[in-house]
Amino acid sequence: MSKSIVSFAFPFILLWACSAHAAPDALSISSVVAHARATHPLILEQESALRAALVLQRQAGIRPPPELDLEAGYKRAGEDGYELGVALLFPVERSGKRSARRGVAESEVNIARVALDQACRDIELQVRTQCYAFLAAEADAEAAREVANRSHAMIELLKERPAAGPGMVLELRVIEAGLLALQKTARDREAERDIARAAINVLLGREPSAALDLSDELVVSPKPLEFDSLAAAVERNPNVLKRWAEVERATQAVALSAYEASPDLQVGPYYSREEAGDVESVVGVALSVPLANRRARRGPLAERRAEAEAAWKAERMSALADVARLRRLYELAVQQANEMPAERVEALRDAAALADRQYRLGAIPVSLFLEMQREYLAVQQLRHEALLNALTREAELTWALGEVQQGGEP
């Protein structure tokens, strides 16, 4: 009975052991982006800054606490004695000062939110460009290695044949020289693939050399990009949002300075006791009024507000010019990618395989065989370069014009 149970369970145990050592599941670029945005230290730092700003915003609405004023002294008169004084002062804020203080704190929260959104966009742009580079380099490395292996097999075949004169020897040397260039191309693409894979694995919190399998493909879906709509969307550019948040903070600071420049009163009960032979007690009202120079405090803040507004306008102009540049580069990259469809590359791959078979039969010269291999590899790389360029420009436009991802209150 026990033997039958073991024999029945053995296939399942073997399947479990194999799955434990299997390659990792394929990941989508969106899942890599989501993981990086949830765990990247830069985003965690900005989330902490936002939480701190929210705490300060809540504290800005709290009334100032009362102050306790104590006085004590030794008195020398006809008879030695002492003097004591106690006052409890309650701040009396001017109408609107607390709302202005809350406005400054709210502008700090907006700045923190903009910084968090910009960090999320930065990480997403970094992840997407690395993933696109990985997919392109992986495909190019595979194609280069395929052509190199084909040339290597051809060299081994020619070495097995008896030398039929200097022509065959020269053909062998020509293919060997071409193989060196193909092997270098394959190594370069493999290096690019490994570098991109290491960067992605680090963002995922894994070992840089860990296996990586992305399920996405390099596909471009052309989008109609009207310049008028892009110009309107510039207002969502992270740098423009940051500058505008700074303008709002400066505006609130100027409003608050108008209240802080005028003195606030502190009023409360006062009690004093004096004893120097006779005992005297006084109960009254204490009043505290700080002195301030109103013009000296408001002037610098007003200038900073003008400075922040000028910086915002300059940032809008720069963002608009950058969007126009990215739009044109994106359109050119999409046009180039459409001129080299996947069907054409696949036809060249079939032609390269055909050239291999025909050269083995002696139907074509070695020059045509090598030219066909090089052309296939060159077009393959040109297409992936165009796709990579188009997808990268699209990601950059998304960074510059994407909807604001409000992080909410942590």
Side-chain angles (χ1 to χ4, degrees), residues 99-119:
S99 61
R101 189 169 61 245
R102 284 199 298 261
V104 173
E106 185 177 355
S107 65
E108 295 289 351
V109 172
N110 292 336
I111 290 177
R113 283 202 174 103
V114 170
L116 174 59
D117 172 66
Q118 183 172 359

mmCIF file with all atom_site columns, all heavy atoms in Angstrom, residues 99-119:
data_model
loop_
_atom_site.group_PDB
_atom_site.id
_atom_site.type_symbol
_atom_site.label_atom_id
_atom_site.label_alt_id
_atom_site.label_comp_id
_atom_site.label_asym_id
_atom_site.label_entity_id
_atom_site.label_seq_id
_atom_site.pdbx_PDB_ins_code
_atom_site.Cartn_x
_atom_site.Cartn_y
_atom_site.Cartn_z
_atom_site.occupancy
_atom_site.B_iso_or_equiv
_atom_site.pdbx_formal_charge
_atom_site.auth_seq_id
_atom_site.auth_comp_id
_atom_site.auth_asym_id
_atom_site.auth_atom_id
_atom_site.pdbx_PDB_model_num
ATOM 1   N N   . SER A 1 99  ? -6.089 81.663 8.747   1.00 0.00 ? 99  SER A N   1
ATOM 2   C CA  . SER A 1 99  ? -6.380 81.140 7.409   1.00 0.00 ? 99  SER A CA  1
ATOM 3   C C   . SER A 1 99  ? -5.206 81.384 6.462   1.00 0.00 ? 99  SER A C   1
ATOM 4   O O   . SER A 1 99  ? -4.893 80.553 5.608   1.00 0.00 ? 99  SER A O   1
ATOM 5   C CB  . SER A 1 99  ? -7.648 81.785 6.868   1.00 0.00 ? 99  SER A CB  1
ATOM 6   O OG  . SER A 1 99  ? -7.493 83.195 6.761   1.00 0.00 ? 99  SER A OG  1
ATOM 7   N N   . ALA A 1 100 ? -4.520 82.523 6.612   1.00 0.00 ? 100 ALA A N   1
ATOM 8   C CA  . ALA A 1 100 ? -3.328 82.776 5.799   1.00 0.00 ? 100 ALA A CA  1
ATOM 9   C C   . ALA A 1 100 ? -2.217 81.806 6.147   1.00 0.00 ? 100 ALA A C   1
ATOM 10  O O   . ALA A 1 100 ? -1.493 81.325 5.273   1.00 0.00 ? 100 ALA A O   1
ATOM 11  C CB  . ALA A 1 100 ? -2.860 84.216 5.992   1.00 0.00 ? 100 ALA A CB  1
ATOM 12  N N   . ARG A 1 101 ? -2.081 81.490 7.439   1.00 0.00 ? 101 ARG A N   1
ATOM 13  C CA  . ARG A 1 101 ? -1.061 80.529 7.853   1.00 0.00 ? 101 ARG A CA  1
ATOM 14  C C   . ARG A 1 101 ? -1.378 79.137 7.302   1.00 0.00 ? 101 ARG A C   1
ATOM 15  O O   . ARG A 1 101 ? -0.477 78.412 6.861   1.00 0.00 ? 101 ARG A O   1
ATOM 16  C CB  . ARG A 1 101 ? -0.976 80.497 9.379   1.00 0.00 ? 101 ARG A CB  1
ATOM 17  C CG  . ARG A 1 101 ? 0.193  79.683 9.911   1.00 0.00 ? 101 ARG A CG  1
ATOM 18  C CD  . ARG A 1 101 ? 0.393  79.901 11.385  1.00 0.00 ? 101 ARG A CD  1
ATOM 19  N NE  . ARG A 1 101 ? -0.768 79.494 12.176  1.00 0.00 ? 101 ARG A NE  1
ATOM 20  C CZ  . ARG A 1 101 ? -1.526 80.320 12.896  1.00 0.00 ? 101 ARG A CZ  1
ATOM 21  N NH1 . ARG A 1 101 ? -1.246 81.616 12.904  1.00 0.00 ? 101 ARG A NH1 1
ATOM 22  N NH2 . ARG A 1 101 ? -2.559 79.880 13.581  1.00 0.00 ? 101 ARG A NH2 1
ATOM 23  N N   . ARG A 1 102 ? -2.668 78.792 7.309   1.00 0.00 ? 102 ARG A N   1
ATOM 24  C CA  . ARG A 1 102 ? -3.052 77.513 6.716   1.00 0.00 ? 102 ARG A CA  1
ATOM 25  C C   . ARG A 1 102 ? -2.806 77.505 5.211   1.00 0.00 ? 102 ARG A C   1
ATOM 26  O O   . ARG A 1 102 ? -2.477 76.472 4.628   1.00 0.00 ? 102 ARG A O   1
ATOM 27  C CB  . ARG A 1 102 ? -4.524 77.221 7.011   1.00 0.00 ? 102 ARG A CB  1
ATOM 28  C CG  . ARG A 1 102 ? -4.798 76.756 8.425   1.00 0.00 ? 102 ARG A CG  1
ATOM 29  C CD  . ARG A 1 102 ? -6.139 76.058 8.509   1.00 0.00 ? 102 ARG A CD  1
ATOM 30  N NE  . ARG A 1 102 ? -7.238 76.968 8.155   1.00 0.00 ? 102 ARG A NE  1
ATOM 31  C CZ  . ARG A 1 102 ? -7.996 77.608 9.026   1.00 0.00 ? 102 ARG A CZ  1
ATOM 32  N NH1 . ARG A 1 102 ? -7.784 77.447 10.324  1.00 0.00 ? 102 ARG A NH1 1
ATOM 33  N NH2 . ARG A 1 102 ? -8.969 78.396 8.627   1.00 0.00 ? 102 ARG A NH2 1
ATOM 34  N N   . GLY A 1 103 ? -2.981 78.664 4.557   1.00 0.00 ? 103 GLY A N   1
ATOM 35  C CA  . GLY A 1 103 ? -2.712 78.742 3.126   1.00 0.00 ? 103 GLY A CA  1
ATOM 36  C C   . GLY A 1 103 ? -1.254 78.477 2.799   1.00 0.00 ? 103 GLY A C   1
ATOM 37  O O   . GLY A 1 103 ? -0.938 77.797 1.822   1.00 0.00 ? 103 GLY A O   1
ATOM 38  N N   . VAL A 1 104 ? -0.343 79.009 3.610   1.00 0.00 ? 104 VAL A N   1
ATOM 39  C CA  . VAL A 1 104 ? 1.083  78.737 3.404   1.00 0.00 ? 104 VAL A CA  1
ATOM 40  C C   . VAL A 1 104 ? 1.369  77.253 3.578   1.00 0.00 ? 104 VAL A C   1
ATOM 41  O O   . VAL A 1 104 ? 2.093  76.637 2.778   1.00 0.00 ? 104 VAL A O   1
ATOM 42  C CB  . VAL A 1 104 ? 1.934  79.581 4.370   1.00 0.00 ? 104 VAL A CB  1
ATOM 43  C CG1 . VAL A 1 104 ? 3.402  79.175 4.291   1.00 0.00 ? 104 VAL A CG1 1
ATOM 44  C CG2 . VAL A 1 104 ? 1.783  81.067 4.063   1.00 0.00 ? 104 VAL A CG2 1
ATOM 45  N N   . ALA A 1 105 ? 0.784  76.654 4.618   1.00 0.00 ? 105 ALA A N   1
ATOM 46  C CA  . ALA A 1 105 ? 1.011  75.226 4.860   1.00 0.00 ? 105 ALA A CA  1
ATOM 47  C C   . ALA A 1 105 ? 0.414  74.379 3.735   1.00 0.00 ? 105 ALA A C   1
ATOM 48  O O   . ALA A 1 105 ? 0.994  73.366 3.329   1.00 0.00 ? 105 ALA A O   1
ATOM 49  C CB  . ALA A 1 105 ? 0.407  74.826 6.203   1.00 0.00 ? 105 ALA A CB  1
ATOM 50  N N   . GLU A 1 106 ? -0.740 74.811 3.220   1.00 0.00 ? 106 GLU A N   1
ATOM 51  C CA  . GLU A 1 106 ? -1.352 74.068 2.109   1.00 0.00 ? 106 GLU A CA  1
ATOM 52  C C   . GLU A 1 106 ? -0.495 74.156 0.853   1.00 0.00 ? 106 GLU A C   1
ATOM 53  O O   . GLU A 1 106 ? -0.387 73.179 0.094   1.00 0.00 ? 106 GLU A O   1
ATOM 54  C CB  . GLU A 1 106 ? -2.751 74.615 1.836   1.00 0.00 ? 106 GLU A CB  1
ATOM 55  C CG  . GLU A 1 106 ? -3.499 73.832 0.778   1.00 0.00 ? 106 GLU A CG  1
ATOM 56  C CD  . GLU A 1 106 ? -4.911 74.349 0.567   1.00 0.00 ? 106 GLU A CD  1
ATOM 57  O OE1 . GLU A 1 106 ? -5.316 75.255 1.331   1.00 0.00 ? 106 GLU A OE1 1
ATOM 58  O OE2 . GLU A 1 106 ? -5.590 73.850 -0.343  1.00 0.00 ? 106 GLU A OE2 1
ATOM 59  N N   . SER A 1 107 ? 0.124  75.300 0.611   1.00 0.00 ? 107 SER A N   1
ATOM 60  C CA  . SER A 1 107 ? 1.013  75.418 -0.543  1.00 0.00 ? 107 SER A CA  1
ATOM 61  C C   . SER A 1 107 ? 2.228  74.502 -0.386  1.00 0.00 ? 107 SER A C   1
ATOM 62  O O   . SER A 1 107 ? 2.722  73.934 -1.381  1.00 0.00 ? 107 SER A O   1
ATOM 63  C CB  . SER A 1 107 ? 1.456  76.864 -0.725  1.00 0.00 ? 107 SER A CB  1
ATOM 64  O OG  . SER A 1 107 ? 2.249  77.304 0.366   1.00 0.00 ? 107 SER A OG  1
ATOM 65  N N   . GLU A 1 108 ? 2.709  74.319 0.832   1.00 0.00 ? 108 GLU A N   1
ATOM 66  C CA  . GLU A 1 108 ? 3.805  73.370 1.056   1.00 0.00 ? 108 GLU A CA  1
ATOM 67  C C   . GLU A 1 108 ? 3.350  71.938 0.758   1.00 0.00 ? 108 GLU A C   1
ATOM 68  O O   . GLU A 1 108 ? 4.116  71.131 0.214   1.00 0.00 ? 108 GLU A O   1
ATOM 69  C CB  . GLU A 1 108 ? 4.292  73.476 2.506   1.00 0.00 ? 108 GLU A CB  1
ATOM 70  C CG  . GLU A 1 108 ? 4.934  74.804 2.863   1.00 0.00 ? 108 GLU A CG  1
ATOM 71  C CD  . GLU A 1 108 ? 6.296  74.990 2.220   1.00 0.00 ? 108 GLU A CD  1
ATOM 72  O OE1 . GLU A 1 108 ? 6.811  74.020 1.635   1.00 0.00 ? 108 GLU A OE1 1
ATOM 73  O OE2 . GLU A 1 108 ? 6.838  76.107 2.294   1.00 0.00 ? 108 GLU A OE2 1
ATOM 74  N N   . VAL A 1 109 ? 2.093  71.620 1.080   1.00 0.00 ? 109 VAL A N   1
ATOM 75  C CA  . VAL A 1 109 ? 1.552  70.296 0.755   1.00 0.00 ? 109 VAL A CA  1
ATOM 76  C C   . VAL A 1 109 ? 1.476  70.116 -0.757  1.00 0.00 ? 109 VAL A C   1
ATOM 77  O O   . VAL A 1 109 ? 1.815  69.051 -1.292  1.00 0.00 ? 109 VAL A O   1
ATOM 78  C CB  . VAL A 1 109 ? 0.163  70.114 1.401   1.00 0.00 ? 109 VAL A CB  1
ATOM 79  C CG1 . VAL A 1 109 ? -0.501 68.830 0.902   1.00 0.00 ? 109 VAL A CG1 1
ATOM 80  C CG2 . VAL A 1 109 ? 0.292  70.074 2.920   1.00 0.00 ? 109 VAL A CG2 1
ATOM 81  N N   . ASN A 1 110 ? 1.050  71.161 -1.469  1.00 0.00 ? 110 ASN A N   1
ATOM 82  C CA  . ASN A 1 110 ? 0.974  71.070 -2.928  1.00 0.00 ? 110 ASN A CA  1
ATOM 83  C C   . ASN A 1 110 ? 2.352  70.855 -3.543  1.00 0.00 ? 110 ASN A C   1
ATOM 84  O O   . ASN A 1 110 ? 2.512  70.079 -4.490  1.00 0.00 ? 110 ASN A O   1
ATOM 85  C CB  . ASN A 1 110 ? 0.344  72.339 -3.489  1.00 0.00 ? 110 ASN A CB  1
ATOM 86  C CG  . ASN A 1 110 ? -1.129 72.464 -3.124  1.00 0.00 ? 110 ASN A CG  1
ATOM 87  O OD1 . ASN A 1 110 ? -1.796 71.462 -2.856  1.00 0.00 ? 110 ASN A OD1 1
ATOM 88  N ND2 . ASN A 1 110 ? -1.638 73.683 -3.090  1.00 0.00 ? 110 ASN A ND2 1
ATOM 89  N N   . ILE A 1 111 ? 3.347  71.540 -3.002  1.00 0.00 ? 111 ILE A N   1
ATOM 90  C CA  . ILE A 1 111 ? 4.716  71.347 -3.495  1.00 0.00 ? 111 ILE A CA  1
ATOM 91  C C   . ILE A 1 111 ? 5.174  69.919 -3.255  1.00 0.00 ? 111 ILE A C   1
ATOM 92  O O   . ILE A 1 111 ? 5.799  69.283 -4.118  1.00 0.00 ? 111 ILE A O   1
ATOM 93  C CB  . ILE A 1 111 ? 5.665  72.354 -2.827  1.00 0.00 ? 111 ILE A CB  1
ATOM 94  C CG1 . ILE A 1 111 ? 5.378  73.771 -3.330  1.00 0.00 ? 111 ILE A CG1 1
ATOM 95  C CG2 . ILE A 1 111 ? 7.130  71.995 -3.096  1.00 0.00 ? 111 ILE A CG2 1
ATOM 96  C CD1 . ILE A 1 111 ? 6.212  74.839 -2.670  1.00 0.00 ? 111 ILE A CD1 1
ATOM 97  N N   . ALA A 1 112 ? 4.852  69.374 -2.083  1.00 0.00 ? 112 ALA A N   1
ATOM 98  C CA  . ALA A 1 112 ? 5.227  67.989 -1.778  1.00 0.00 ? 112 ALA A CA  1
ATOM 99  C C   . ALA A 1 112 ? 4.513  67.012 -2.696  1.00 0.00 ? 112 ALA A C   1
ATOM 100 O O   . ALA A 1 112 ? 5.102  66.014 -3.142  1.00 0.00 ? 112 ALA A O   1
ATOM 101 C CB  . ALA A 1 112 ? 4.920  67.671 -0.317  1.00 0.00 ? 112 ALA A CB  1
ATOM 102 N N   . ARG A 1 113 ? 3.243  67.287 -3.008  1.00 0.00 ? 113 ARG A N   1
ATOM 103 C CA  . ARG A 1 113 ? 2.509  66.407 -3.923  1.00 0.00 ? 113 ARG A CA  1
ATOM 104 C C   . ARG A 1 113 ? 3.097  66.460 -5.328  1.00 0.00 ? 113 ARG A C   1
ATOM 105 O O   . ARG A 1 113 ? 3.212  65.439 -6.006  1.00 0.00 ? 113 ARG A O   1
ATOM 106 C CB  . ARG A 1 113 ? 1.034  66.819 -3.958  1.00 0.00 ? 113 ARG A CB  1
ATOM 107 C CG  . ARG A 1 113 ? 0.228  66.365 -2.740  1.00 0.00 ? 113 ARG A CG  1
ATOM 108 C CD  . ARG A 1 113 ? -1.255 66.312 -3.074  1.00 0.00 ? 113 ARG A CD  1
ATOM 109 N NE  . ARG A 1 113 ? -2.015 65.755 -1.967  1.00 0.00 ? 113 ARG A NE  1
ATOM 110 C CZ  . ARG A 1 113 ? -2.751 66.457 -1.117  1.00 0.00 ? 113 ARG A CZ  1
ATOM 111 N NH1 . ARG A 1 113 ? -2.807 67.778 -1.266  1.00 0.00 ? 113 ARG A NH1 1
ATOM 112 N NH2 . ARG A 1 113 ? -3.425 65.879 -0.151  1.00 0.00 ? 113 ARG A NH2 1
ATOM 113 N N   . VAL A 1 114 ? 3.437  67.662 -5.776  1.00 0.00 ? 114 VAL A N   1
ATOM 114 C CA  . VAL A 1 114 ? 4.052  67.791 -7.100  1.00 0.00 ? 114 VAL A CA  1
ATOM 115 C C   . VAL A 1 114 ? 5.390  67.055 -7.146  1.00 0.00 ? 114 VAL A C   1
ATOM 116 O O   . VAL A 1 114 ? 5.720  66.382 -8.134  1.00 0.00 ? 114 VAL A O   1
ATOM 117 C CB  . VAL A 1 114 ? 4.229  69.281 -7.460  1.00 0.00 ? 114 VAL A CB  1
ATOM 118 C CG1 . VAL A 1 114 ? 5.082  69.430 -8.703  1.00 0.00 ? 114 VAL A CG1 1
ATOM 119 C CG2 . VAL A 1 114 ? 2.875  69.943 -7.666  1.00 0.00 ? 114 VAL A CG2 1
ATOM 120 N N   . ALA A 1 115 ? 6.175  67.164 -6.073  1.00 0.00 ? 115 ALA A N   1
ATOM 121 C CA  . ALA A 1 115 ? 7.460  66.461 -6.024  1.00 0.00 ? 115 ALA A CA  1
ATOM 122 C C   . ALA A 1 115 ? 7.258  64.949 -6.053  1.00 0.00 ? 115 ALA A C   1
ATOM 123 O O   . ALA A 1 115 ? 8.020  64.222 -6.708  1.00 0.00 ? 115 ALA A O   1
ATOM 124 C CB  . ALA A 1 115 ? 8.226  66.871 -4.771  1.00 0.00 ? 115 ALA A CB  1
ATOM 125 N N   . LEU A 1 116 ? 6.230  64.460 -5.359  1.00 0.00 ? 116 LEU A N   1
ATOM 126 C CA  . LEU A 1 116 ? 5.937  63.026 -5.381  1.00 0.00 ? 116 LEU A CA  1
ATOM 127 C C   . LEU A 1 116 ? 5.512  62.580 -6.770  1.00 0.00 ? 116 LEU A C   1
ATOM 128 O O   . LEU A 1 116 ? 5.962  61.536 -7.266  1.00 0.00 ? 116 LEU A O   1
ATOM 129 C CB  . LEU A 1 116 ? 4.848  62.703 -4.359  1.00 0.00 ? 116 LEU A CB  1
ATOM 130 C CG  . LEU A 1 116 ? 4.320  61.255 -4.344  1.00 0.00 ? 116 LEU A CG  1
ATOM 131 C CD1 . LEU A 1 116 ? 5.451  60.274 -4.079  1.00 0.00 ? 116 LEU A CD1 1
ATOM 132 C CD2 . LEU A 1 116 ? 3.207  61.103 -3.328  1.00 0.00 ? 116 LEU A CD2 1
ATOM 133 N N   . ASP A 1 117 ? 4.657  63.359 -7.410  1.00 0.00 ? 117 ASP A N   1
ATOM 134 C CA  . ASP A 1 117 ? 4.223  63.021 -8.769  1.00 0.00 ? 117 ASP A CA  1
ATOM 135 C C   . ASP A 1 117 ? 5.396  63.024 -9.736  1.00 0.00 ? 117 ASP A C   1
ATOM 136 O O   . ASP A 1 117 ? 5.524  62.144 -10.594 1.00 0.00 ? 117 ASP A O   1
ATOM 137 C CB  . ASP A 1 117 ? 3.168  64.023 -9.221  1.00 0.00 ? 117 ASP A CB  1
ATOM 138 C CG  . ASP A 1 117 ? 2.816  63.845 -10.696 1.00 0.00 ? 117 ASP A CG  1
ATOM 139 O OD1 . ASP A 1 117 ? 2.248  62.798 -11.049 1.00 0.00 ? 117 ASP A OD1 1
ATOM 140 O OD2 . ASP A 1 117 ? 3.138  64.745 -11.483 1.00 0.00 ? 117 ASP A OD2 1
ATOM 141 N N   . GLN A 1 118 ? 6.288  63.999 -9.597  1.00 0.00 ? 118 GLN A N   1
ATOM 142 C CA  . GLN A 1 118 ? 7.453  64.058 -10.480 1.00 0.00 ? 118 GLN A CA  1
ATOM 143 C C   . GLN A 1 118 ? 8.366  62.856 -10.241 1.00 0.00 ? 118 GLN A C   1
ATOM 144 O O   . GLN A 1 118 ? 8.913  62.289 -11.196 1.00 0.00 ? 118 GLN A O   1
ATOM 145 C CB  . GLN A 1 118 ? 8.227  65.353 -10.260 1.00 0.00 ? 118 GLN A CB  1
ATOM 146 C CG  . GLN A 1 118 ? 9.411  65.510 -11.204 1.00 0.00 ? 118 GLN A CG  1
ATOM 147 C CD  . GLN A 1 118 ? 10.055 66.880 -11.115 1.00 0.00 ? 118 GLN A CD  1
ATOM 148 O OE1 . GLN A 1 118 ? 9.611  67.723 -10.354 1.00 0.00 ? 118 GLN A OE1 1
ATOM 149 N NE2 . GLN A 1 118 ? 11.102 67.099 -11.884 1.00 0.00 ? 118 GLN A NE2 1
ATOM 150 N N   . ALA A 1 119 ? 8.531  62.442 -8.997  1.00 0.00 ? 119 ALA A N   1
ATOM 151 C CA  . ALA A 1 119 ? 9.354  61.259 -8.708  1.00 0.00 ? 119 ALA A CA  1
ATOM 152 C C   . ALA A 1 119 ? 8.739  60.010 -9.340  1.00 0.00 ? 119 ALA A C   1
ATOM 153 O O   . ALA A 1 119 ? 9.454  59.178 -9.910  1.00 0.00 ? 119 ALA A O   1
ATOM 154 C CB  . ALA A 1 119 ? 9.508  61.084 -7.203  1.00 0.00 ? 119 ALA A CB  1
#
